[in-house]
Amino acid sequence: MCMNGLDSTIVNPALLTIAEDFDRPAVAANTVEIAFLVALVAALPVAGRLGDRFGTKRVFLGSLAVFTAASAACGLSQNLVSLVLARVVQGLAGGLLTPVGMTILFTAFAPHERMRLAKWLIVPTALMPALGPPLGGFLTEHLSWHWLFLVNVPIGTAAVLLGLFGLREHHAGVVGPFDRTGFWLTVPTLALLTYALGFGPSQGWTTPAIAIAGILGLVLSVVAIAHQLRSDEPLLRLRLLADRAFGPATALALVTSAGLMGVLFVFPLLYQAALGASALDAGLGVFPEAVGLMFASQVVDRLLPRLGPRRLTAPALVLAALVFGALALPGVADNAWAVRALMFCVGLVLGTAVLTVQIAGFGEIEPADMGHAMALFTIVRTLGGSLGIAAGAAVIEAGGGSGHDAGAPGPYRAAIWVTAGLVALGALFALRLPREAPAPPPFEDDDEAGHGTGPGAEPGAGHEVEAGAGLGTAPEPESARTDSAGASAPVRG
């Protein structure tokens, strides 16, 4: 999952170098990144279904193996066409990795135990994308852009071998036939929207290919949503959005991802175009945001049980919007230490909100729905990031930031204010989150639970999730419990 998060941003600083190596225009090199994102989003809708049918371990390790092989093909590419095709395969595999990997984690821990996951979840979902630009700039400048992909090969190989022995298989079971109509509506919808959002800022929104892709994507999205709501066994279970925690959390994922990815896209441009910094300097300028994320991951599991999701998330988003606005103030970007301090605060306060939403939003999702919920959440978050980047680019374009007055800071600052507004909007959605954090399940009598709790069982003991079993069932004896394969496994305290 760390490799997947890193690969979503690590190529950005190398696009110009890749274009020069292949003797192609810089705009053509953007295809390398857009191809990855389009393929990634296209694979997300089937992630939950594949995990349920074939098992999360099998799908996760299979996707990881394909991702690793595609990374090797990317690093060995000798022309732009082969690189783009390898990125498509890499994106398809990456689209399965995150939702299936998160499903593995969330089905291994009861809702009240997931707060302890915060310090680990922050690494693949937020820290790695933030580390991508500076690491990509460093590898490109001191080694070669080929190493942006080749570095995945030994890590991915080791991860597959570890997973073969360290992961436990989980089948949630599949009811009903595969939603083919939903598949042929949803996948093209997501691909077309991602393509339009990715290429629109650079090629122009009125370009025929971009305009047709955007309009067709919007029309298909309406048809796809209507079908998913009518279907008994939809590809994406949109009815999960009616959940009192998951619905607001998904809306928050959209706006916070748009705000964060937008500011991480716009501010380095302000740093470079308006202030004359290098690409590596710009990447290092936003690096303290990753440090702030790490600090946030250490406090969320302590603050969430005391304050609850609503009281923790809403103020954090308001503070994050104010920090974003401070980045747009005249003179702030001229001071390197002011930039670093504010970027640290961005990671700290926005990371607190993002982690809280990620943990609290799945508190009442049943195990049978977990894969589908993860896929839906990841789709919305990914589209939100693309939307934030596209909005920032559109504001810069409208203000003349890419024209003859490209060095003027005004359009870039206006774009940062837009990202601040998106984050502030999230505070309204945060008011719909539950007041209380997920609590440990109550003890049940032996007769009611169907198995003894035993004197050694404790509240909060880990629960093994089996096919059709709920996360909130009574704890089993501390001595042993049975996994889905019938093997006895020690209880995690």
Side-chain angles (χ1 to χ4, degrees), residues 192-252:
L192 287 168
L193 290 177
T194 305
Y195 173 85
L197 291 172
F199 278 119
S202 61
Q203 297 187 8
W205 299 103
T206 57
T207 303
I210 304 301
I212 292 173
I215 294 172
L216 187 57
L218 290 174
V219 172
L220 281 177
S221 68
V222 175
V223 179
I225 290 172
H227 168 78
Q228 306 284 348
L229 292 175
R230 291 196 307 265
S231 176
D232 293 331
E233 285 292 332
L235 183 69
L236 293 175
R237 296 177 184 173
L238 298 183
R239 294 186 184 91
L240 293 173
L241 295 174
D243 183 87
R244 69 186 186 99
F246 183 71
T250 305
L252 275 166

Side-chain angles (χ1 to χ4, degrees), residues 293-318:
L293 286 171
M294 294 301 295
F295 273 83
S297 69
Q298 302 302 312
V299 300
V300 166
D301 61 335
R302 296 178 177 87
L303 295 178
L304 184 54
R306 299 177 183 177
L307 300 178
R310 186 185 303 178
R311 286 183 292 176
L312 183 56
T313 303
L317 290 173
V318 172

Side-chain angles (χ1 to χ4, degrees), residues 65-77 86 90 146 149-153:
V66 173
F67 186 91
T68 303
S71 297
C74 288
L76 298 174
S77 297
Q90 196 183 37
H146 298 275
F149 307 105
L150 294 177
V151 71
N152 287 336
V153 176

Side-chain angles (χ1 to χ4, degrees), residues 81-377:
V81 174
S82 62
L83 177 58
V84 170
L85 291 176
R87 282 289 274 176
V88 169
V89 177
Q90 196 183 37
L92 290 172
L96 303 180
L97 279 178
T98 297
V100 176
M102 293 288 284
T103 300
I104 291 174
L105 285 174
F106 273 45
T107 51
F109 291 85
H112 69 285
E113 294 179 307
R114 294 173 192 159
M115 290 175 282
R116 293 184 295 161
L117 288 174
K119 56 178 62 69
W120 305 105
L121 290 178
I122 196 71
V123 178
T125 60
L127 180 60
M128 288 296 108
L131 287 176
L135 182 58
F138 176 83
L139 291 175
T140 303
E141 184 173 326
H142 295 283
L143 293 174
S144 164
W145 64 263
H146 298 275
W147 283 100
L148 304 180
F149 307 105
L150 294 177
V151 71
N152 287 336
V153 176
I155 300 173
T157 302
V160 170
L161 294 176
L162 286 172
L164 288 173
F165 298 99
L167 291 179
R168 183 172 299 165
E169 189 60 277
H170 167 65
H171 291 267
V174 177
V175 179
F178 179 71
D179 183 12
R180 291 183 176 87
T181 302
F183 175 82
W184 291 114
L185 286 173
T186 304
V187 171
T189 295
L190 295 174
L192 287 168
L193 290 177
T194 305
Y195 173 85
L197 291 172
F199 278 119
S202 61
Q203 297 187 8
W205 299 103
T206 57
T207 303
I210 304 301
I212 292 173
I215 294 172
L216 187 57
L218 290 174
V219 172
L220 281 177
S221 68
V222 175
V223 179
I225 290 172
H227 168 78
Q228 306 284 348
L229 292 175
R230 291 196 307 265
S231 176
D232 293 331
E233 285 292 332
L235 183 69
L236 293 175
R237 296 177 184 173
L238 298 183
R239 294 186 184 91
L240 293 173
L241 295 174
D243 183 87
R244 69 186 186 99
F246 183 71
T250 305
L252 275 166
L254 176 71
V255 293
T256 55
S257 181
L260 179 59
M261 296 303 292
V263 80
L264 291 179
F265 167 76
V266 173
F267 190 79
L269 294 179
L270 170 64
Y271 222 44
Q272 294 176 77
L275 304 177
S278 67
L280 182 57
D281 289 337
L284 292 175
V286 300
F287 177 74
E289 183 258 350
V291 181
L293 286 171
M294 294 301 295
F295 273 83
S297 69
Q298 302 302 312
V299 300
V300 166
D301 61 335
R302 296 178 177 87
L303 295 178
L304 184 54
R306 299 177 183 177
L307 300 178
R310 186 185 303 178
R311 286 183 292 176
L312 183 56
T313 303
L317 290 173
V318 172
L319 286 174
L322 293 175
V323 174
F324 277 36
L327 286 169
L329 295 176
V332 171
D334 299 312
N335 188 318
W337 283 106
V339 169
R340 292 165 187 159
L342 288 172
M343 279 296 171
F344 173 82
C345 292
V346 166
L348 181 62
V349 294
L350 190 58
T352 299
V354 168
L355 282 170
T356 301
V357 168
Q358 195 162 276
I359 298 297
F362 294 85
E364 298 180 7
I365 299 296
E366 295 295 329
D369 292 325
M370 186 61 71
H372 293 269
M374 280 295 176
L376 184 58
F377 188 84

